[in-house]
Amino acid sequence: MDSTGVPHILEHTVLCGSQKYPCRDPFFKMLNRSLSTFMNAFTASDYTLYPFSTQNPKDFQNLLSVYLDAAFFPCLRQLDFWQEGWRLEHENPYDPQTPLVFKGVVFNEMKGAFTDNERVFSQHLQNKLLPDHTYAVISGGDPLNIPDLTWEQLKQFHASHYHPSNARFFTYGNFPLEQHLKQIHEEALIKFQKIEPNTAIPKQQLWDKPREHHVTCGLDSFASDPTKQTTVSVSCLLSDITDTFENFTLNLLSSLLVGGPNSPFYKALIEANIGTDFSPDVGFNGYTKEAYFSVGLQGIAERDIETVKQIIARTIDDVIEKGFEEDKIEALLHKIEIQLKHQSTSFGLSLTSYIASCWNHDGEPLELLKVAEKVSQFRQCLKENPAFLQEKVKRYFKDNPHRLTLSMSPDEAYYDKQAKTEAEKLKQKVNALSEEQKKQIYEKGLELIALQSKPQDTSCLPALKVSDIEPTIPLTKLETAFAADEVPVQYCAQPTNGVVYFRAVSSLNTLPEELKPYVPLFCNVITKMGCGALDYREQAQQIELKTGRMSVSPHIIPDDSHLDVYEQGVLFSSLCLDRNLPDMMHLWSEIFNNPRFEEEEHFKVLVKMIAQELSNGIPDSGHLYASVRASKTLTPAGELQEMFTGMDQVKLMKRIAEMSDVKPILRKLPRIKKYLLNSDNMRCSVNATPQQMAQASKEVEKFIKGITRSKKERRPVRPHVIEKYSEPKATGSETLNCSQIPRKLITEPTFQPCQMKTHFILSFPVNYIGECIRTVPYTAQDYASLQILARLMTAKFLHREIREKGGAYGGGAKLSHSGVLTFYSYRDPNSLATLTTFEKAADWVKSGDFTQQDIDEAKLAVFAAVDAPTAPSDKGMDHFLFGISDEMKQTHREQLFAVSRENLMDVANKYLAAGKSTRGLAILGPENADIAKDPSWVKR
């Protein structure tokens, strides 16, 4: 009932030691003692979810035991340090080393979260639309209220909420249910008496007239037009989410209203060209007790607020009058059919999330899962009453007085004001302390550091052993044929549930250098501009009616055996139901042969949306942008990655979005098409059921024969191209015909890696940091050791120093497929101190201050990732996309098993010692006086 973030802080706290497992942070320790395929915890507006998954039955029991004990019997002993937990290191007047504990991590997590203006808007939207109860506050915590939470409040909240009478359990998978029930009963339920938790949320009091509200946010330094940074939306309260059919209908209705270029609101709002994209939380939101619908625009001028409101009202009137075309409804129902058939490896987790909100409010979870029944019922309602949907629009969107208009515009001093309020709050707290209390706090701080630095006795935690890991991997049967005698096609027969997956890779080797930066834009718009006889609206309609998706993305793949060799291309991905394969392949033919580039206004709309999405993504993915920039100068592929997916691309799209005349950019697209959309240097793959393969092969053949070949032989732009074949693969005595897929790779024999340090100055209150080191490729002997080393440093050193002591939301080390080792931190209050921590991590490994148990745990964590489940749609993709065969994976597996302490210390000395390897650094974050004085940093 307040914004101190008590449920969120408790989410972190209960994972930090319990009665049965009294060691610090069992949650993070279990990441290394398990083969889990997923472990996390989430706090929503009105529940906290603790999900985990694994493919190993013993592991499942171990994790269930740790999670149950953590939730119901946490050790709250560490909270002695509670009041000191909030202080930021540079603000503490007594001891710069006083670290942050639970409140501190959450404090910086939420500071980072609220640098995302979309998040700020969504939060205010919920608070103001549902103002009478728990939805009026911030369950994750408002950074300025978090310090007010007391230990007593936290313990009280735990006692009343973390009780089996207020809990729900969900399992999914093929392990026997009886065992789960027995364990839940014995380890939790039997130890409690039933109580009345009184946590039910009352219905929101309905308003008798609409309301308006205005809020402020930080400036967006990547906005394409600095004078257009206002967001506005109109939101309506809908029905109780436990009315499952009504919500199913309203969800569909919302998709019809805002989904894709054919929807009424897209046409009316996005194409009015007064904003850049829909407002945050557009469409149906079913995560609160009563659902709501929201629609509006971001990236508008403040003077256009009224215009947007008028357009929304007019569009609702139009829909009430005209309704929806039948094929739009069919396209939506087709989408549901595909979602039901497409198998993902996180299906169980998706189901949990899907039912959690409704079940949390005592809705019937099984009702929610009967999707096919709901579709039949929906069809029946439409049949009986053709105006069924129009009546819903009138009731919920026109005649509904519980309607909120929310607007948000930037305030230049937004972050300064927050920092000032924070500083004042700290000052008040410090001034209220007596000398004796200050001394106590200082001593507690020292005690806490000592506690955090003490090695943990983790022997109480359950663990799998390295011997529990399967020594070999199952082989995937692949076959290769040549379509039209020249294009290799990989076929992988799998139980895909009646869905066909088609992919193709086309090389960029002949593309002129000056067109390269525009490849991501080309990929983004090529399936959205129209093709053949179809304009962009008709094309979108056909894609929705006949496919699950058709997407195009840049494809930069480092070679598995040489750091200066890589493949550059574009990946085309799609899926469809068996019956629609001819239609999907026809659409691809039209996109390849006759893409349309004449819709200039529509192109402008797409450009603005892309630029806005990139800008909005930085607060969530800042560490990835920092890492991509840091690795830019280490390998030739790194340079291309930065151009295609890094801050360079964000800035390029901002520049294009600012142009008043986009014709020069539009003219580049047909030129790129000429080099990319043909059958030269192309390969394809199909994953489908065995019964579907003959038909699939026929359709792919027809597609290849139907697309153009270059009239003249085009030379690669970069002269050094090598052709590489994947190894033939033997199983027993037979050699499967799956090998000869040639890949044309670029080699840069003269490439010289060099060091670069970049600071992107952003108005955020937290930092995102990446430090990258050039090491070795995938097949090199040292690669496995470096992989284990990265995990070891993360679990045994970096987590403690960066998160527990430093207060960052996250941090660690990882080795990418490209052979670049990356240290990173996320939503971090520190900057240069964290870079020093990275150095200390290397020294720690070189000193050998770790045990065999630590190495085994790092191996378990690495194998958990290596052996993560693969969906039928993705089988054989390592071979097709990366050129990595099952044999190579098996060799790598054996190298992982064999990694020893000597190997780890050896690679640490070889690659991490100062001056041994070339490294790059990048920080995204606020101005920094020390960096500003240092000429070795490039400031952006």
Side-chain angles (χ1 to χ4, degrees):
M1 297 305 297
D2 59 43
S3 293
T4 58
V6 55
H8 187 187
I9 289 163
L10 205 44
E11 170 214 311
H12 287 251
T13 308
V14 303
L15 294 171
C16 291
S18 62
Q19 267 180 24
K20 197 163 153 191
Y21 305 113
C23 83
R24 190 174 72 242
D25 230 351
F27 173 79
F28 279 96
K29 302 287 186 291
M30 285 306 291
L31 286 172
N32 307 299
R33 303 169 73 86
S34 142
L35 290 171
S36 68
T37 53
F38 190 88
M39 274 180 79
N40 213 331
F42 309 117
T43 295
S45 296
D46 50 15
Y47 65 84
T48 296
L49 182 70
Y50 292 94
F52 64 88
S53 62
T54 174
Q55 300 175 93
N56 180 300
K58 183 182 168 197
D59 198 24
F60 185 86
Q61 287 177 16
N62 290 351
L63 288 169
L64 181 57
S65 182
V66 170
Y67 267 83
L68 286 172
D69 209 60
F72 297 120
F73 310 102
C75 276
L76 298 180
R77 62 187 166 73
Q78 284 167 297
L79 301 188
D80 279 350
F81 302 107
W82 186 252
Q83 295 304 347
E84 294 74 74
W86 165 59
R87 233 165 335 280
L88 288 166
E89 76 162 49
H90 57 274
E91 290 170 339
N92 186 339
Y94 298 106
D95 173 21
Q97 289 305 310
T98 300
L100 296 89
V101 280
F102 317 109
K103 280 203 283 191
V105 171
V106 172
F107 180 68
N108 285 307
E109 177 186 348
M110 296 310 291
K111 271 178 90 166
F114 288 128
T115 57
D116 177 350
N117 288 343
E118 290 201 297
R119 173 75 181 264
V120 172
F121 189 85
S122 303
Q123 185 66 59
H124 281 293
L125 173 57
Q126 182 181 299
N127 296 159
K128 298 296 182 288
L129 187 67
L130 294 153
D132 294 354
H133 200 263
T134 189
Y135 302 123
V137 300
I138 304 173
S139 59
D142 179 334
L144 293 172
N145 295 135
I146 289 171
D148 300 331
L149 179 65
T150 66
W151 182 11
E152 285 309 318
Q153 281 172 288
L154 184 96
K155 287 202 298 184
Q156 184 48 50
F157 191 91
H158 183 271
S160 57
H161 290 75
Y162 277 65
H163 188 286
S165 306
N166 193 48
R168 287 162 175 79
F169 301 87
F170 174 101
T171 68
Y172 171 91
N174 62 353
F175 300 160
L177 175 65
E178 292 75 9
Q179 171 58 39
H180 309 335
L181 296 177
K182 180 172 184 284
Q183 194 175 345
I184 291 168
H185 178 69
E186 288 172 359
E187 295 186 20
L189 306 187
I190 204 169
K191 300 177 180 180
F192 289 85
Q193 297 295 312
K194 188 169 171 33
I195 61 165
E196 283 304 325
N198 299 322
T199 53
I201 296 171
K203 279 180 97 75
Q204 167 64 44
Q205 280 281 266
L206 293 179
W207 303 340
D208 51 9
K209 61 175 193 288
R211 297 181 184 178
E212 299 210 350
H213 196 78
H214 180 80
V215 296
T216 59
C217 62
L219 275 171
D220 176 2
S221 40
F222 294 100
S224 53
D225 182 343
T227 65
K228 291 185 169 183
Q229 292 197 41
T230 293
T231 301
V232 65
S233 75
V234 175
S235 308
C236 306
L237 195 64
L238 306 177
S239 61
D240 192 305
I241 59 171
T242 58
D243 184 343
T244 51
F245 180 65
E246 187 73 352
N247 274 272
F248 178 80
T249 302
L250 290 168
N251 200 346
L252 281 185
L253 178 56
S254 300
S255 296
L256 287 168
L257 288 169
V258 298
N262 291 303
S263 61
F265 278 118
Y266 187 100
K267 291 177 187 173
L269 283 173
I270 301 289
E271 294 182 353
N273 223 348
I274 51 177
T276 51
D277 203 349
F278 279 128
S279 53
D281 267 3
V282 66
F284 179 85
N285 295 274
Y287 301 112
T288 46
K289 183 176 169 61
E290 287 140 293
Y292 55 93
F293 171 85
S294 183
V295 66
L297 274 178
Q298 57 181 309
I300 67 167
E302 206 156 347
R303 63 175 180 276
D304 287 328
I305 290 178
E306 213 41 56
T307 312
V308 173
K309 284 159 60 180
Q310 287 165 8
I311 294 173
I312 291 171
R314 206 166 52 235
T315 307
I316 286 169
D317 287 340
D318 283 353
V319 171
I320 293 169
E321 189 191 331
K322 296 175 189 156
F324 300 97
E325 292 160 31
E326 200 177 319
D327 60 352
K328 308 274 193 297
I329 296 169
E330 280 309 317
L332 202 54
L333 296 176
H334 167 258
K335 189 177 176 181
I336 292 171
E337 186 181 355
I338 285 224
Q339 282 169 344
L340 289 174
K341 285 177 173 266
H342 169 67
Q343 299 166 71
S344 78
T345 54
S346 57
F347 188 71
L349 182 65
S350 305
L351 284 189
T352 320
S353 308
Y354 178 59
I355 66 169
S357 290
C358 177
W359 194 18
N360 185 42
H361 296 290
D362 294 324
E364 178 43 69
L366 294 184
E367 275 305 307
L368 271 179
L369 300 179
K370 296 174 182 169
V371 180
E373 268 181 35
K374 300 270 187 300
V375 171
S376 305
Q377 193 180 344
F378 179 75
R379 286 190 186 280
Q380 191 58 31
C381 289
L382 276 178
K383 198 171 156 190
E384 289 167 10
N385 175 11
F388 173 65
L389 289 174
Q390 282 134 288
E391 287 168 12
K392 297 284 182 210
V393 173
K394 187 171 188 310
R395 175 185 163 192
Y396 286 105
F397 305 145
K398 186 171 174 68
D399 300 342
N400 181 356
H402 199 109
R403 198 163 65 236
L404 171 75
T405 302
L406 178 67
S407 57
M408 176 176 83
S409 51
D411 172 358
E412 252 177 84
Y414 181 78
Y415 292 119
D416 291 342
K417 284 177 187 169
Q418 284 189 319
K420 198 172 163 210
T421 314
E422 196 183 297
E424 280 166 8
K425 191 154 199 164
L426 182 69
K427 198 173 167 188
Q428 283 167 9
K429 283 185 177 286
V430 172
N431 289 345
L433 297 170
S434 67
E435 283 308 310
E436 183 53 34
Q437 285 171 318
K438 288 177 184 177
K439 186 164 173 280
Q440 275 178 351
I441 286 177
Y442 178 69
E443 284 163 0
K444 279 270 191 245
L446 294 178
E447 200 185 325
L448 178 55
I449 291 175
L451 179 80
Q452 286 177 320
S453 303
K454 250 172 46 188
Q456 287 288 295
D457 177 12
T458 55
S459 60
C460 60
L461 288 172
L464 291 182
K465 299 186 177 69
V466 174
S467 56
D468 291 326
I469 302 167
E470 288 292 330
T472 57
I473 57 165
L475 299 179
T476 302
K477 185 173 177 180
L478 303 171
E479 293 187 3
T480 302
F482 284 86
D485 296 334
E486 58 193 23
V487 174
V489 186
Q490 173 182 296
Y491 294 99
C492 182
Q494 291 290 325
T496 57
N497 213 5
V499 181
V500 180
Y501 299 85
F502 170 78
R503 297 171 178 91
V505 170
S506 183
S507 170
L508 285 174
N509 288 355
T510 59
L511 186 75
E513 289 291 322
E514 81 272 9
L515 292 175
K516 277 262 181 83
Y518 303 94
V519 166
L521 174 60
F522 178 87
C523 292
N524 231 308
V525 303
I526 187 64
T527 56
K528 302 183 185 94
M529 294 279 288
C531 61
L534 307 173
D535 66 19
Y536 69 89
R537 290 194 207 286
E538 293 161 337
Q539 180 187 33
Q541 184 67 9
Q542 283 303 305
I543 288 175
E544 285 187 0
L545 270 170
K546 302 297 183 186
T547 82
R549 71 162 182 272
M550 295 178 77
S551 62
V552 186
S553 55
H555 172 82
I556 307 163
I557 301 298
D559 182 41
D560 52 70
S561 52
H562 202 296
L563 292 182
D564 298 332
V565 176
Y566 62 98
E567 181 179 29
Q568 50 169 4
V570 163
L571 171 65
F572 304 85
S573 308
S574 56
L575 64 139
C576 66
L577 299 171
D578 283 355
R579 63 174 186 264
N580 292 328
L581 182 59
D583 295 309
M584 182 171 83
M585 296 315 294
H586 176 68
L587 275 167
W588 274 129
S589 301
E590 290 290 83
I591 288 168
F592 269 68
N593 291 335
N594 310 301
R596 291 167 67 157
F597 299 115
E598 52 273 8
E599 290 273 5
E600 191 184 330
E601 284 309 304
H602 180 58
F603 178 64
K604 271 187 193 162
V605 165
L606 292 175
V607 161
K608 282 184 181 167
M609 287 173 87
I610 296 163
Q612 185 71 57
E613 277 165 21
L614 285 173
S615 173
N616 291 345
I618 293 172
D620 256 353
S621 310
H623 60 309
L624 300 179
Y625 280 108
S627 303
V628 167
R629 168 54 65 123
S631 63
K632 174 184 175 174
T633 55
L634 301 185
T635 64
E639 203 174 335
L640 201 54
Q641 283 286 15
E642 170 66 23
M643 182 192 283
F644 282 179
T645 63
M647 294 299 282
D648 281 356
Q649 184 62 212
V650 176
K651 292 189 164 178
L652 174 68
M653 285 311 303
K654 174 184 179 331
R655 216 164 57 241
I656 298 172
E658 286 165 354
M659 290 179 174
S660 52
D661 178 12
V662 292
K663 283 192 197 69
I665 306 296
L666 196 48
R667 282 197 291 269
K668 295 180 192 295
L669 302 185
R671 291 179 60 206
I672 295 174
K673 178 256 169 201
K674 206 167 62 181
Y675 292 96
L676 262 185
L677 304 187
N678 55 50
S679 60
D680 313 355
N681 304 328
M682 187 188 195
R683 63 181 190 276
C684 304
S685 85
V686 175
N687 282 31
T689 58
Q691 304 86 302
Q692 192 60 26
M693 278 308 183
Q695 164 77 355
S697 161
K698 206 169 86 204
E699 291 300 334
V700 173
E701 180 84 15
K702 190 170 151 193
F703 163 70
I704 299 293
K705 280 185 171 158
I707 60 175
T708 33
R709 272 198 68 73
S710 292
K711 306 274 188 297
K712 57 179 193 295
E713 180 65 27
R714 286 214 179 89
R715 290 196 143 347
V717 174
R718 300 197 172 187
H720 304 285
V721 171
I722 52 172
E723 201 158 89
K724 186 165 181 174
Y725 288 84
S726 44
E727 299 299 312
K729 150 177 178 179
T731 53
S733 57
E734 58 172 334
T735 297
L736 296 177
N737 170 27
C738 80
S739 54
Q740 306 297 304
I741 289 207
R743 296 154 74 237
K744 291 190 173 171
L745 309 180
I746 297 282
T747 168
E748 305 222 356
T750 57
F751 178 81
Q752 286 294 316
C754 64
Q755 187 147 315
M756 187 169 166
K757 293 151 74 172
T758 315
H759 183 208
F760 288 96
I761 300 164
L762 302 175
S763 55
F764 297 165
V766 285
N767 294 283
Y768 302 88
I769 303 170
E771 176 171 4
C772 294
I773 299 168
R774 180 179 155 107
T775 65
V776 293
Y778 178 79
T779 51
Q781 191 70 42
D782 284 347
Y783 186 89
S785 302
L786 285 161
Q787 218 175 344
I788 305 283
L789 177 74
R791 186 62 229 173
L792 180 74
M793 289 191 295
T794 299
K796 301 296 170 185
F797 189 88
L798 293 167
H799 173 78
R800 180 181 73 221
E801 299 297 320
I802 293 174
R803 183 174 160 116
E804 290 181 4
K805 293 185 184 179
Y809 183 36
K814 55 178 190 269
L815 181 67
S816 72
H817 179 72
S818 63
V820 170
L821 181 78
T822 301
F823 290 101
Y824 66 93
S825 77
Y826 183 68
R827 293 181 183 167
D828 190 341
N830 310 305
S831 54
L832 296 178
T834 295
L835 293 177
T836 306
T837 301
F838 295 160
E839 284 172 33
K840 287 179 182 164
D843 294 339
W844 172 79
V845 183
K846 287 186 290 187
S847 73
D849 187 16
F850 50 88
T851 63
Q852 185 55 44
Q853 170 76 15
D854 294 337
I855 299 170
D856 289 349
E857 288 180 11
K859 286 186 183 180
L860 277 170
V862 168
F863 275 110
V866 167
D867 291 344
T870 307
S873 56
D874 293 328
K875 293 271 179 164
M877 279 304 109
D878 283 343
H879 185 261
F880 177 72
L881 296 175
F882 300 89
I884 293 181
S885 65
D886 284 348
E887 289 66 36
M888 290 158 81
K889 286 199 256 185
Q890 182 59 39
T891 303
H892 176 59
R893 187 178 197 81
E894 285 153 19
Q895 288 169 342
L896 286 171
F897 277 119
V899 171
S900 66
R901 158 187 288 277
E902 289 66 39
N903 296 145
L904 293 169
M905 291 171 70
D906 177 47
V907 292
N909 279 304
K910 221 193 262 185
Y911 304 101
L912 301 188
K916 286 288 174 74
S917 303
T918 315
R919 54 187 72 208
L921 295 172
I923 297 177
L924 274 67
E927 298 229 13
N928 184 303
D930 293 325
I931 293 178
K933 295 198 293 263
D934 184 343
S936 68
W937 283 86
V938 176
K939 288 86 175 174
R940 287 287 162 91

